[in-house]
Amino acid sequence: MADKDGLKTAKDYHTDTPFAAQGDFHVKGANHLDWGMKKHLSNIFDRDTGKTVMFAFDHGYFMGGTAGLERLDLVIPPLAPYVDVFMATRGALRTCVPASSGCGVALRVTSGSSMLDDDLSHEVVAVDIEDAIRMNADCMAVQTFIGADGQLSSLNNLSRVINAGFRYSIPTLGVVAVGKDMERTDRFFKLATRILAELGVQIVKTYYCDHFEEIVSACPVPIVVAGGKKLPEEEALTLAYRCIQGGACGVDMGRNIFQSNHPVVMAQAVRKIVHEGWTDKEAYRFYQDMSH
Ligand code: 5RP
């Protein structure tokens, strides 16, 4: 293992230079993967824009029925036409989401903590690869806790899921968790995103922060950005816009869509930023016009 003392500061991110190993496939870092992986990644990332609008409603896996998700059966189906991927638990999908929705699936496969715990960083792999195959999941989402008490077990979970994913050509989405004591700095996100990519995930989900474009440059797989806590719609659209401008390949928003007063209009507005090149201002005007 390299000596930690006397490390040089990383600085050569070449943020203006495009990823050099793109080849002819539209998903970053995936050019050398096999057909099955590419097929799943194409169900996630649009072939024309290379981007994705993921909609996360997996909160119940540790929060129970949170505000806005009390009735999955009523809230989720109307959003399907406006998002590319549903990120959810198998329980939510099987019970409340029509298999005919047309959306890709990012299947949450780890669990083990609840809102009642002080430390959320201890999880297990809760879904067998066979069930991910049965559900035709396009990727398997694994929570990771870099720098937290559960770092070792979460990276063990991640590696096991990546290995199973490679056996059956199902991509893995590594989710960077932030906890009460974990940093939200570019230093932390550079470390965490790169660890996940080097362990073999095909997609990383992380948070937006200063110097975001450096994080994107140094991460050889696509980054999708979590929405985080509910913001006023205008600010949430600005966040989405900054992520895309900074090089994100999409957003994975939950509360900023399902806790909006107008979730369907909000999903449409986010989609316009991600896939149609709209600015945050244009998207917010759309949101205002359509929500009256
Ligand atoms: C937790 C997750 C959740 O899916 C995601 O963060 C929830 O979305 P949001 O924060 O936008 O409500 O991955 O780590």
Side-chain angles (χ1 to χ4, degrees), residues 1 31 90 129 144 188 195 222 247:
M1 184 178 282
N31 195 43
R90 61 181 169 183
I129 186 72
T144 60
F188 172 74
I195 289 175

Side-chain angles (χ1 to χ4, degrees), residues 215-235:
I215 298 169
V216 169
S217 282
C219 182
V221 299
I223 288 186
V224 295
V225 182
K229 68 174 198 276
K230 172 77 173 75
L231 301 168
E233 278 75 5
E234 187 171 13
E235 287 175 38

